[in-house]
Amino acid sequence: MASIKRPNILFLMTDQQRFDTIGYINEVVKTPHLDQLARESIVFQRAYTTNPSCVPARAAIASGRYPSQCGAPTYITYIHEHETTFMKYLQQNGYYTAVIGKQHFGESGIERGYDYEDIVDIHGPKDFANTESSNSYMDFLRAAGFTKNRELLSEISQYSHTWLAEDRYHIDHYIGERGKQWLKNNRPGDQPWYLCLSFPGPHNPFDGRGLAEEALYREDEINLPETDASALQGKPDYYRDLLLTEGGISEADARTMRLSYYANMSMIDKKIGEVLTLLKETGEYENTLIFFTSDHGDFSGDFGLVYKGQYVSEPLMRVPFLIKPPVAGFQGVLTEDFILNFDVAPTCLAAAGIPIPCNMTAKDLSGYWRDDREKPGRKHLYIEAGGVRSIRTDDWKLIHYRDRPYGELYHLKEDPWEKANLWHDDQYKEVKQSLQVLLLDELIGLGEKSEVPWNVNAPSI
């Protein structure tokens, strides 16, 4: 690697974006720039998050370790200070590192590993009165004369909002512009760089209505959820605690909410397109490794639910995931291989020629474009959410609840939207037991230094 020019790295990220809210998966969603990027990328069609909530999922991405390993297993926990982020490894090895947008390190005192920071950990206008906890976006709005949230957006329903101001004041437009400014004015010319450009959308408040991109959609063309609240039958009762109304979100509200969600996604796509165009104009596009993914998904009306929580359902766990290699003229490919979004961490290190720490649980994906690296070859996925642990194979998913008598078992090959819980069906008792063994093996493997042999020359088990 020493004789090869090290690539720049651009990590494009969204917040709370489902796997099927991108044009190359769902033609209803208008994302032409991401669709073009997909044609130049490895498209991972079975990409998952480690955890269905922002803080744990992002802690895992930063550390390359599962949330339960790095000290952030829940939304109100934060990554341990003693962890080392992959950005820090890049920084220590000659990269100029930068972040613009959402991060969600919360109260952690960890050394994040950035030379340049413009962190905006909100999803829209918020708390105008509190100038002490400000960020560059809120400063931007105040400088423009705004003093109240209601000057910028209004509520359509409890599920979605309308944007009232000019598009340039929307948070995702702002983040996109800041990314362009960084590439123009702050990008170093004498060393490789890493930039995380992290959009706060399309996370609620679902305020895409009122944006110019609303014109791309008609409400009667918005696809409805695959399931409704009736599909909660047979699931653990705590799912119903997330219902905002009796019977779940209505079809009309689901269409309105999804239109706002899709329009917001189209704005993000437009800004990503502008960033990529600028990168090409700098002459550095071909030598830039580009990732695109999200931290987790959203129910978006499935099972009558909205948002996310301590659930490992497919709409929450599956995310879009693209890698554009630093290879001139790379032709895009599709793969059904299992990956997790925290695989970004070791993949960045491998691409930069930096040794991957042995305690990183995530897998290096550079074997998808480099002959000198192997592909991970996962046969199944292990995922988690607080007190929930899950195994997902080609055909099945098992969900275990700590200290609870219930669980979930789905035959995803025949039931991809998890409508029929087979946990108590004796016909699948052996399947359940085999998946429980897989889960136990994964849990043992998560222990610190579990990869180290018992002793030198000791008999192996």
Side-chain angles (χ1 to χ4, degrees):
M1 290 292 291
S3 62
I4 300 173
K5 182 180 179 182
R6 296 199 292 174
N8 304 310
I9 303 171
L10 175 60
F11 184 13
L12 301 167
M13 193 172 184
T14 56
D15 195 339
Q16 203 162 304
Q17 183 188 356
R18 287 168 59 113
F19 75 100
D20 56 0
T21 55
I22 195 164
Y24 64 81
I25 296 290
N26 178 0
E27 63 182 11
V28 174
V29 185
K30 311 305 180 188
T31 55
H33 303 288
L34 285 167
D35 296 348
Q36 177 57 41
L37 183 63
R39 288 190 282 272
E40 303 169 24
S41 300
I42 304 141
V43 180
F44 294 90
Q45 304 212 86
R46 292 201 297 181
Y48 283 70
T49 182
T50 57
N51 191 290
S53 190
C54 307
V55 175
R58 289 169 181 268
I61 291 170
S63 64
R65 287 157 53 78
Y66 278 99
S68 59
Q69 293 180 301
C70 68
T74 72
Y75 184 79
I76 54 174
T77 55
Y78 306 104
I79 188 170
H80 282 311
E81 292 183 14
H82 66 253
E83 294 288 335
T84 304
T85 69
F86 78 88
M87 301 85 75
K88 185 64 180 176
Y89 287 119
L90 290 172
Q91 186 184 55
Q92 290 171 339
N93 286 272
Y95 272 73
Y96 184 88
T97 57
V99 61
I100 297 168
K102 176 82 176 285
Q103 286 289 276
H104 238 161
F105 281 100
E107 298 174 9
S108 173
I110 191 172
E111 189 173 344
R112 294 187 284 265
Y114 291 118
D115 295 301
Y116 178 96
E117 288 189 345
D118 184 2
I119 295 175
V120 180
D121 273 346
I122 55 177
H123 301 104
K126 184 178 181 181
D127 204 10
F128 273 94
N130 187 356
T131 57
E132 293 183 1
S133 62
S134 191
N135 54 65
S136 70
Y137 174 63
M138 290 304 297
D139 293 343
F140 168 70
L141 293 180
R142 290 190 185 95
F146 294 103
T147 60
K148 299 179 180 63
N149 288 4
R150 64 173 178 265
E151 297 169 340
L152 293 150
L153 73 168
S154 66
E155 185 176 281
I156 299 173
S157 69
Q158 60 184 319
Y159 304 105
S160 56
H161 292 73
T162 294
W163 186 255
L164 302 175
E166 294 177 52
D167 289 5
R168 64 193 180 103
Y169 295 114
H170 191 277
I171 193 166
D172 291 311
H173 189 284
Y174 174 80
I175 295 300
E177 288 298 305
R178 291 288 296 117
K180 290 161 60 180
Q181 291 167 15
W182 186 88
L183 285 173
K184 288 179 181 177
N185 305 321
N186 300 92
R187 173 178 53 86
D190 57 352
Q191 66 186 118
W193 51 263
Y194 165 87
L195 171 63
C196 176
L197 185 60
S198 183
F199 293 89
H203 189 291
N204 48 297
F206 306 139
D207 56 5
R209 276 191 179 269
L211 298 175
E213 287 73 22
E214 180 186 358
L216 299 173
Y217 299 94
R218 285 177 40 186
E219 200 160 286
D220 61 351
E221 295 176 343
I222 301 297
N223 50 314
L224 286 168
E226 295 286 340
T227 57
D228 58 28
S230 66
L232 294 176
Q233 183 69 31
K235 294 185 185 295
D237 288 343
Y238 87 113
Y239 276 85
R240 292 166 183 78
D241 294 338
L242 202 61
L243 288 170
L244 297 181
T245 58
E246 186 68 27
I249 188 172
S250 68
E251 286 191 2
D253 281 339
R255 287 190 193 276
T256 299
M257 180 208 66
R258 286 187 168 209
L259 192 153
S260 267
Y261 191 103
Y262 294 174
N264 190 178
M265 209 38 244
S266 292
M267 168 185 265
I268 293 170
D269 176 78
K270 177 183 176 182
K271 303 314 289 184
I272 286 175
E274 293 172 3
V275 167
L276 296 180
T277 296
L278 182 57
L279 185 59
K280 290 173 183 177
E281 291 173 356
T282 68
E284 296 195 20
Y285 182 78
E286 299 290 4
N287 190 48
T288 299
L289 172 63
I290 301 175
F291 296 89
F292 172 78
T293 192
S294 193
D295 51 359
H296 55 79
D298 187 285
F299 277 117
S300 295
D302 275 304
F303 307 111
L305 307 175
V306 183
Y307 315 134
K308 80 280 187 179
Q310 193 178 189
Y311 313 85
V312 293
S313 303
E314 293 287 286
L316 300 189
M317 304 308 293
R318 289 185 67 184
V319 293
F321 197 106
L322 305 175
I323 298 179
K324 197 284 292 182
V327 176
F330 185 84
Q331 296 295 308
V333 295
L334 304 177
T335 176
E336 293 284 337
D337 293 354
F338 282 132
I339 66 158
L340 290 158
N341 58 2
F342 77 158
D343 293 339
V344 167
T347 307
C348 284
L349 299 186
I354 301 169
I356 299 169
C358 62
N359 71 341
M360 268 198 181
T361 321
K363 305 295 185 183
D364 169 23
L365 303 178
S366 64
Y368 283 95
W369 74 89
R370 284 175 48 174
D371 293 336
D372 62 334
R373 294 276 179 167
E374 294 184 359
K375 298 176 183 178
R378 287 187 177 100
K379 303 293 185 185
H380 59 269
L381 291 178
Y382 162 81
I383 50 183
E384 55 184 50
V388 184
R389 299 290 185 270
S390 179
I391 285 288
R392 201 271 198 224
T393 67
D394 281 334
D395 295 343
W396 293 91
K397 180 193 278 186
L398 176 135
I399 305 172
H400 174 83
Y401 292 88
R402 181 185 179 191
D403 294 331
R404 297 293 184 270
Y406 49 76
E408 297 176 71
L409 177 67
Y410 299 102
H411 192 185
L412 294 181
K413 186 174 182 179
E414 297 181 358
D415 179 23
W417 292 96
E418 302 169 313
K419 297 178 182 179
N421 183 8
L422 305 174
W423 182 265
H424 295 294
D425 192 327
D426 287 341
Q427 181 180 350
Y428 303 103
K429 183 177 180 180
E430 290 185 5
V431 172
K432 183 165 72 173
Q433 288 176 341
S434 67
L435 294 172
Q436 287 170 326
V437 170
L438 273 182
L439 178 59
L440 184 57
D441 285 344
E442 288 289 337
L443 293 173
I444 293 172
L446 292 181
E448 286 295 325
K449 300 186 179 180
S450 62
E451 76 283 358
V452 178
W454 173 256
N455 200 350
V456 178
N457 299 322
S460 60
I461 60 173

